[in-house]
Amino acid sequence: MINKRKSNLSFNISVEGQDEKIYLMRVQEIINNLPLKYTVNFNIKKDNPTSFVKSNVIGYEKYPFYHIKDFESSENSEFYFSIDECIKAKQLRDILGYKFYYTNICFELWIILHKKLFTSRITNTKDYLKQINQCYNMKIKSFKDLKQESVYKKIVAQIDINDILTAIKNAKHITNNNKINYNISRYKNVEYYKENPSLNLHEFIEFILKEVGYLKIK
Protein backbone atom coordinates (compact mmCIF):
# COMPACT_ATOMS: atom_id res chain seq x y z
CA MET A 1 0.00 0.00 0.00
CA ILE A 2 1.41 3.37 -1.04
CA ASN A 3 1.11 6.15 1.54
CA LYS A 4 -0.46 9.28 0.17
CA ARG A 5 1.72 12.34 0.48
CA LYS A 6 0.35 14.86 2.93
CA SER A 7 -0.22 18.49 2.04
CA ASN A 8 1.79 20.98 4.05
CA LEU A 9 0.53 24.16 5.71
CA SER A 10 3.07 26.86 6.60
CA PHE A 11 2.81 29.33 9.48
CA ASN A 12 5.16 32.31 9.88
CA ILE A 13 5.46 33.04 13.59
CA SER A 14 7.57 35.65 15.36
CA VAL A 15 7.97 35.14 19.11
CA GLU A 16 9.31 36.96 22.11
CA GLY A 17 11.56 34.20 23.45
CA GLN A 18 12.83 30.66 23.05
CA ASP A 19 10.11 29.21 25.30
CA GLU A 20 7.42 29.92 22.74
CA LYS A 21 9.56 28.43 19.99
CA ILE A 22 10.27 25.25 21.96
CA TYR A 23 6.57 24.84 22.69
CA LEU A 24 5.48 25.45 19.11
CA MET A 25 8.02 22.96 17.79
CA ARG A 26 6.43 20.42 20.11
CA VAL A 27 2.98 21.30 18.73
CA GLN A 28 4.35 20.87 15.21
CA GLU A 29 5.71 17.45 16.15
CA ILE A 30 2.39 16.38 17.68
CA ILE A 31 0.33 17.51 14.70
CA ASN A 32 2.65 15.92 12.16
CA ASN A 33 2.34 12.57 13.93
CA LEU A 34 -1.46 12.61 13.76
CA PRO A 35 -3.26 10.71 10.98
CA LEU A 36 -4.35 13.86 9.17
CA LYS A 37 -4.42 15.07 5.59
CA TYR A 38 -2.09 17.95 6.43
CA THR A 39 1.25 18.46 8.08
CA VAL A 40 2.44 21.83 9.38
CA ASN A 41 5.65 23.75 9.03
CA PHE A 42 6.21 26.45 11.62
CA ASN A 43 8.67 29.08 10.45
CA ILE A 44 9.49 30.49 13.88
CA LYS A 45 11.94 33.21 14.79
CA LYS A 46 12.65 35.21 17.92
CA ASP A 47 12.23 38.58 16.29
CA ASN A 48 10.08 41.68 16.06
CA PRO A 49 7.36 41.65 13.37
CA THR A 50 8.90 44.16 10.96
CA SER A 51 12.30 42.49 10.95
CA PHE A 52 10.68 39.09 10.60
CA VAL A 53 8.65 40.14 7.58
CA LYS A 54 11.70 41.66 5.91
CA SER A 55 13.67 38.44 6.38
CA ASN A 56 10.98 36.25 4.78
CA VAL A 57 11.54 36.74 1.07
CA ILE A 58 10.08 33.55 -0.35
CA GLY A 59 6.35 32.91 -0.21
CA TYR A 60 5.49 35.74 2.13
CA GLU A 61 2.54 36.78 -0.02
CA LYS A 62 0.87 33.39 0.41
CA TYR A 63 0.57 33.16 4.18
CA PRO A 64 -0.37 35.52 7.02
CA PHE A 65 2.10 36.21 9.83
CA TYR A 66 1.61 35.77 13.57
CA HIS A 67 3.23 37.28 16.66
CA ILE A 68 3.16 36.00 20.26
CA LYS A 69 3.93 38.33 23.15
CA ASP A 70 3.68 38.48 26.96
CA PHE A 71 1.52 41.23 28.42
CA GLU A 72 3.39 41.48 31.78
CA SER A 73 1.69 44.74 32.86
CA SER A 74 -0.26 47.72 31.53
CA GLU A 75 2.98 49.72 31.89
CA ASN A 76 4.79 47.36 29.53
CA SER A 77 5.45 49.60 26.55
CA GLU A 78 6.91 46.66 24.60
CA PHE A 79 3.46 45.09 24.48
CA TYR A 80 1.98 48.09 22.69
CA PHE A 81 5.10 48.52 20.58
CA SER A 82 4.70 44.94 19.32
CA ILE A 83 1.15 45.68 18.23
CA ASP A 84 2.41 48.75 16.38
CA GLU A 85 5.09 46.59 14.79
CA CYS A 86 2.48 44.12 13.51
CA ILE A 87 0.59 46.96 11.84
CA LYS A 88 3.79 48.39 10.40
CA ALA A 89 4.85 44.97 9.12
CA LYS A 90 1.57 44.63 7.24
CA GLN A 91 2.25 47.98 5.57
CA LEU A 92 5.83 47.08 4.65
CA ARG A 93 4.78 44.18 2.47
CA ASP A 94 1.53 43.11 0.91
CA ILE A 95 1.08 40.11 3.22
CA LEU A 96 -2.28 38.58 4.11
CA GLY A 97 -2.10 40.02 7.60
CA TYR A 98 -0.21 40.01 10.89
CA LYS A 99 -2.18 38.66 13.83
CA PHE A 100 -1.25 39.31 17.45
CA TYR A 101 -1.61 36.85 20.33
CA TYR A 102 -0.77 37.35 23.99
CA THR A 103 -0.58 35.76 27.44
CA ASN A 104 -0.99 37.69 30.69
CA ILE A 105 1.25 37.73 32.67
CA CYS A 106 3.52 35.44 30.69
CA PHE A 107 3.75 32.32 28.54
CA GLU A 108 3.97 30.01 31.56
CA LEU A 109 0.24 30.56 32.14
CA TRP A 110 -0.44 28.80 28.84
CA ILE A 111 1.89 25.93 29.77
CA ILE A 112 0.06 25.40 33.08
CA LEU A 113 -3.34 25.36 31.38
CA HIS A 114 -2.35 22.18 29.53
CA LYS A 115 -2.56 20.33 32.82
CA LYS A 116 -5.01 22.28 35.01
CA LEU A 117 -7.36 25.22 35.17
CA PHE A 118 -5.52 28.07 36.87
CA THR A 119 -7.59 31.16 37.64
CA SER A 120 -5.62 32.78 40.46
CA ARG A 121 -4.31 36.27 39.96
CA ILE A 122 -0.56 36.57 40.49
CA THR A 123 1.76 39.51 41.05
CA ASN A 124 5.03 38.03 39.82
CA THR A 125 5.97 35.60 37.07
CA LYS A 126 7.87 33.55 39.65
CA ASP A 127 4.51 32.62 41.18
CA TYR A 128 3.99 30.26 38.26
CA LEU A 129 6.99 28.12 39.22
CA LYS A 130 5.17 26.13 41.90
CA GLN A 131 2.37 25.35 39.48
CA ILE A 132 4.82 24.25 36.77
CA ASN A 133 6.56 21.89 39.21
CA GLN A 134 3.26 20.37 40.32
CA CYS A 135 1.80 20.01 36.84
CA TYR A 136 4.89 18.49 35.24
CA ASN A 137 6.40 16.65 38.21
CA MET A 138 9.49 18.84 38.11
CA LYS A 139 11.78 20.16 40.85
CA ILE A 140 12.85 23.43 39.28
CA LYS A 141 14.38 25.68 41.92
CA SER A 142 14.18 29.08 40.24
CA PHE A 143 12.50 30.88 37.36
CA LYS A 144 15.95 31.29 35.84
CA ASP A 145 16.39 27.52 35.83
CA LEU A 146 12.97 27.15 34.24
CA LYS A 147 14.14 29.25 31.31
CA GLN A 148 16.95 26.84 30.48
CA GLU A 149 16.36 25.29 27.05
CA SER A 150 16.93 21.73 28.28
CA VAL A 151 14.44 22.21 31.12
CA TYR A 152 11.74 23.66 28.89
CA LYS A 153 12.13 20.80 26.44
CA LYS A 154 11.55 18.31 29.26
CA ILE A 155 8.35 20.16 30.15
CA VAL A 156 6.85 20.33 26.67
CA ALA A 157 7.82 16.70 26.00
CA GLN A 158 5.07 15.82 28.50
CA ILE A 159 2.42 17.57 26.38
CA ASP A 160 0.22 15.59 24.00
CA ILE A 161 -2.77 16.43 21.81
CA ASN A 162 -5.22 15.87 24.66
CA ASP A 163 -3.27 18.35 26.80
CA ILE A 164 -3.51 20.92 24.00
CA LEU A 165 -7.29 20.46 23.88
CA THR A 166 -7.39 20.85 27.67
CA ALA A 167 -5.41 24.10 27.44
CA ILE A 168 -7.84 25.50 24.87
CA LYS A 169 -10.79 24.54 27.05
CA ASN A 170 -9.23 26.08 30.17
CA ALA A 171 -8.30 29.27 28.31
CA LYS A 172 -11.87 29.63 27.07
CA HIS A 173 -13.09 29.27 30.66
CA ILE A 174 -10.79 32.09 31.74
CA THR A 175 -11.90 34.29 28.84
CA ASN A 176 -15.59 33.72 29.54
CA ASN A 177 -15.00 34.56 33.20
CA ASN A 178 -13.15 37.76 32.26
CA LYS A 179 -16.02 38.82 30.01
CA ILE A 180 -18.30 38.73 33.02
CA ASN A 181 -16.01 40.37 35.55
CA TYR A 182 -13.83 42.84 33.64
CA ASN A 183 -13.98 45.43 30.90
CA ILE A 184 -12.05 44.52 27.79
CA SER A 185 -9.28 46.93 26.75
CA ARG A 186 -8.31 47.85 23.20
CA TYR A 187 -5.16 49.12 21.57
CA LYS A 188 -5.28 49.67 17.83
CA ASN A 189 -6.83 46.47 16.43
CA VAL A 190 -6.10 44.25 19.44
CA GLU A 191 -8.47 43.46 22.30
CA TYR A 192 -7.04 42.26 25.61
CA TYR A 193 -7.59 42.19 29.36
CA LYS A 194 -5.25 44.03 31.68
CA GLU A 195 -6.16 41.63 34.49
CA ASN A 196 -4.44 38.29 34.84
CA PRO A 197 -4.92 35.51 34.11
CA SER A 198 -5.97 36.37 30.58
CA LEU A 199 -4.88 35.37 27.09
CA ASN A 200 -5.98 34.82 23.52
CA LEU A 201 -3.18 32.45 22.46
CA HIS A 202 -5.61 29.54 22.53
CA GLU A 203 -7.41 31.08 19.56
CA PHE A 204 -4.28 30.64 17.45
CA ILE A 205 -3.70 27.03 18.51
CA GLU A 206 -7.35 26.19 17.94
CA PHE A 207 -7.17 27.84 14.52
CA ILE A 208 -4.20 25.65 13.56
CA LEU A 209 -6.01 22.48 14.65
CA LYS A 210 -8.98 23.49 12.54
CA GLU A 211 -6.78 24.25 9.54
CA VAL A 212 -5.25 20.77 9.61
CA GLY A 213 -8.68 19.17 10.01
CA TYR A 214 -8.30 17.88 13.56
CA LEU A 215 -11.07 20.12 14.85
CA LYS A 216 -14.21 20.90 12.94
CA ILE A 217 -14.72 24.49 11.80
CA LYS A 218 -17.94 25.87 13.22
Side-chain angles (χ1 to χ4, degrees):
M1 181 176 178
I2 300 175
N3 292 327
K4 292 183 178 179
R5 185 174 181 179
K6 293 185 176 183
S7 300
N8 184 264
L9 299 177
S10 294
F11 296 85
N12 297 308
I13 311 167
S14 53
V15 297
E16 182 178 11
Q18 72 168 359
D19 305 340
E20 293 89 340
K21 182 174 182 178
I22 292 170
Y23 168 79
L24 288 168
M25 294 307 295
R26 174 58 180 159
V27 174
Q28 176 180 276
E29 178 184 25
I30 291 170
I31 291 175
N32 290 345
N33 284 321
L34 293 172
L36 300 172
K37 179 181 178 181
Y38 296 99
T39 58
V40 294
N41 174 51
F42 292 160
N43 174 27
I44 311 167
K45 188 175 181 182
K46 181 182 175 182
D47 206 348
N48 67 66
T50 53
S51 176
F52 187 58
V53 165
K54 290 178 180 178
S55 67
N56 281 270
V57 179
I58 300 175
Y60 68 85
E61 312 96 331
K62 191 175 180 180
Y63 306 103
F65 284 63
Y66 307 90
H67 187 67
I68 300 173
K69 172 71 176 158
D70 293 340
F71 178 73
E72 296 179 355
S73 75
S74 57
E75 287 74 40
N76 179 19
S77 60
E78 290 185 6
F79 178 80
Y80 306 106
F81 175 75
S82 292
I83 297 174
D84 290 335
E85 283 282 288
C86 289
I87 297 172
K88 183 179 178 181
K90 174 67 173 66
Q91 297 169 345
L92 284 174
R93 284 189 168 174
D94 189 22
I95 59 176
L96 293 179
Y98 216 129
K99 297 186 178 181
F100 183 89
Y101 296 96
Y102 81 99
T103 52
N104 183 359
I105 292 178
C106 65
F107 189 70
E108 279 63 43
L109 167 65
W110 176 242
I111 297 298
I112 291 168
L113 293 180
H114 285 70
K115 300 295 184 179
K116 66 179 291 187
L117 176 61
F118 185 77
T119 59
S120 300
R121 188 170 187 176
I122 68 169
T123 58
N124 193 298
T125 56
K126 295 178 181 179
D127 295 336
Y128 284 131
L129 185 58
K130 180 180 179 181
Q131 300 298 323
I132 293 286
N133 280 332
Q134 290 178 350
C135 290
Y136 292 92
N137 194 28
M138 303 289 284
K139 296 181 180 179
I140 307 167
K141 295 181 179 180
S142 68
F143 207 74
K144 181 179 179 180
D145 291 339
L146 170 62
K147 294 297 184 177
Q148 296 295 318
E149 181 177 352
S150 59
V151 174
Y152 231 87
K153 285 184 176 180
K154 288 180 180 178
I155 291 172
V156 301
Q158 299 182 46
I159 292 174
D160 60 24
I161 187 62
N162 291 321
D163 293 321
I164 295 174
L165 297 179
T166 295
I168 293 171
K169 179 182 178 181
N170 287 337
K172 287 182 176 180
H173 177 93
I174 290 173
T175 300
N176 290 335
N177 184 68
N178 287 345
K179 287 179 180 178
I180 296 171
N181 293 293
Y182 305 117
N183 293 321
I184 196 165
S185 297
R186 292 177 178 83
Y187 181 78
K188 302 294 176 68
N189 60 346
V190 174
E191 294 185 340
Y192 63 96
Y193 288 97
K194 294 180 179 179
E195 295 80 9
N196 74 78
S198 63
L199 69 166
N200 68 354
L201 179 57
H202 60 288
E203 297 175 3
F204 181 39
I205 304 302
E206 184 177 42
F207 166 73
I208 294 171
L209 293 179
K210 288 180 178 179
E211 287 291 287
V212 299
Y214 187 78
L215 294 177
K216 292 182 178 179
I217 300 176
K218 296 182 180 179

